[in-house]
Amino acid sequence: FLMIQIEENEMAQSAATAPRPFLEERQELIQQFEREYVTKLLSLTRGNVSEAARKAGVSRQALYGLFKRHEIDPRSFARSMN
């Protein structure tokens, strides 16, 4: 009985540390990258979407898609010029 219990514990531990499927891990990393990239870009441009799009080499529409996907409001990055 003790040997069976040990084997069950080992199996449970290895299942808990097993990597997630490749596509799940990849999607999470892409989402993290997108969010961090867009956040840095908006900080750099103080929320100016046109300037951010030029710097990123993408259309404003593409950026707005990322804003929507990640629930980012570019207006929150605007700072007063004072």
Side-chain angles (χ1 to χ4, degrees), residues 15-59:
T17 60
R20 292 184 303 174
F22 172 79
L23 293 178
E24 285 179 24
E25 192 71 30
R26 179 176 174 246
Q27 187 60 34
E28 183 177 319
L29 290 171
I30 289 170
Q31 288 177 357
Q32 287 175 355
F33 166 78
E34 288 176 349
R35 184 166 184 78
E36 289 175 18
Y37 183 83
V38 169
T39 299
K40 288 178 186 177
L41 198 57
L42 287 171
S43 293
L44 179 67
T45 63
R46 290 182 254 175
N48 183 322
V49 177
S50 294
E51 185 180 350
R54 277 193 299 279
K55 288 184 180 297
V58 299
S59 69

Side-chain angles (χ1 to χ4, degrees), residues 57-79:
V58 299
S59 69
R60 287 189 342 261
Q61 292 81 6
L63 280 183
Y64 279 113
L66 290 172
F67 301 156
K68 184 176 181 178
R69 182 180 313 147
H70 298 287
E71 300 178 347
I72 295 172
D73 182 359
R75 294 173 296 185
S76 67
F77 292 84
R79 296 183 208 129

